[in-house]
Amino acid sequence: MNRSAPLSFLLAFLLAAAPAGSQGLPDLGDASSASLSDSQERTIGNRIMREVRVDPLYIDDPDVLDYINSIGDRLLAGLEGPPRKDIDFFVVQDESINAFALVGGHIGVHTGLFTLTQNESELAGVLAHEIAHITQKHQARAMHGQRGANLTSLAALAIAILASRGSGSQSGQVTEAAIAGATAFQIQNMIDYTREHEREADRVGLTILERTGFAPRAMATFFERLLRNNRLNEFKGAPSYLRTHPLTTERIADIQDRVQNLPPRLVADTFDYRLVKAKLRANMGSPSEAVTYFRALLDEKTVLRPREESYGLAIALRRTRDFEGAWKALEPLRKQQPPQAAFELLAGQLLADQGKKDQALDVYRAALRPLPNARGLVHAYLTLLLTSGRPAEVITDLEERLRNVQDDAQLYEIQARAYAATGKQLSQHRAQAEAHYRRGNLGAAVEQLEQAVKIKSTDFYETSSAESRLRELRAQLEIEKAAEKALKIS
Ligand SMILES: [Zn+2]
């Protein structure tokens, strides 16, 4: 059982619960009214995401998160009706090929699937299919087919398993036993029940692709390749997607039928897609394997070398700690205008790796002038200032920055560290509370504020701010706890 098993398992497990059981279902309205309400689904989803966001396999890299949410939002704009703000996207560091929709509107993609896509429309096709599972309420409809096991008890079990991790040597055994049980559950519940949902998710997904300017044909191409390669057993882990989203030649034929009448559409990939894909690929496997992979790609091309491939090579070389080699691969990319946040970030990191902190800070500062909102650069710049023993500058910078950006948990974490370094305990706990709050962890936020108000301070304003924030978050926590208790997932 490798390190990544529990998270994949949790996700696959919840998915297995989701699309099952449409047989004998009269209609959508009837089915969904008899199952979980939207707010109940959100409660379960938030509870699961609280564990997922702190899992080491959850990719907290702003470049990756911002990209996957930007393509996700672009697809959501293709839905009918008022814009959906309640669906979000994330990437899991897992080389098996999978994508999933959790209850409550959270869509995850494994790095294995992301890097398998050959163009952005293929990735869009997978995401659009998952969005459709949510908008068509397949999770709610699945409730009807479940006997004995319902979605909330599955969620409760999954949370218990996640929570048991890392807390002593026995937890591993518990997890493995539960996984064995889950696999049996999946096999018995999957197969024949989900084809209608899959067909519907394909149909709705294709409409979304069509409306948002992606190439609908890419959906067929990607699924076809997945199926073909699975038969040849080329991809390890491909069955995890195919198990949760049963894929048949008929399903692919259906998609092809639908796209046949559409005019062929050539869609150029965004540069962000190519950069993020290269970054994810460069962080897969062992460092030397990653170097070999990108060198082989680049060796094939003598004239036009795609910039993202040189970028991937530079990241891979950095992983092997060949900083000079990485710098040589990166340098030509930085000569082009306008500057790219991803390249400047890597340049700064490579300088810092070699102990050239002042030069690294200069690179970040220069890049932030034209790119003031590039989160990766902002985080790297502030963190390096902090580790260079300059917390006062971090505090000043963040005072200004947090006036305009309020949803970035990492900024509050950096702020908390800066306050800790200057001995401002009360402010430290307040900042840490805001970080927890933005990661959806109300309980931890309240704990931080409880510590904050205990600290004696001469700053009356700050103490009373902490007190009123504590009252506010306690009230929210009570509501959340009551909702979780009602669902038996607390
Ligand atoms: Zn599906």
Side-chain angles (χ1 to χ4, degrees), residues 100-120:
F100 48 84
L102 295 177
V103 249
H106 309 282
I107 293 174
V109 186
H110 285 196
T111 48
L113 187 143
F114 192 124
T115 55
L116 187 68
T117 61
Q118 287 182 357
N119 57 61
E120 196 166 26

Side-chain angles (χ1 to χ4, degrees), residues 376-390:
L377 277 174
V378 172
H379 295 173
Y381 169 61
L382 294 174
T383 305
L384 187 57
L385 262 186
L386 192 60
T387 55
S388 305
R390 295 156 74 171

Side-chain angles (χ1 to χ4, degrees), residues 129-130 133 198 201 245:
H129 177 97
E130 297 304 329
H133 277 314
E198 288 306 301
H245 302 264

Side-chain angles (χ1 to χ4, degrees), residues 12 14 17 36-37 55 65 76 85 88 98 113 130 180 219 227 245 299 377 380 440:
L14 289 166
L36 290 172
S37 72
D55 194 289
L65 268 175
L76 291 177
K85 303 252 179 227
D88 59 48
N98 211 351
L113 187 143
E130 297 304 329
M219 189 190 266
L227 190 61
H245 302 264
D299 281 349
L377 277 174

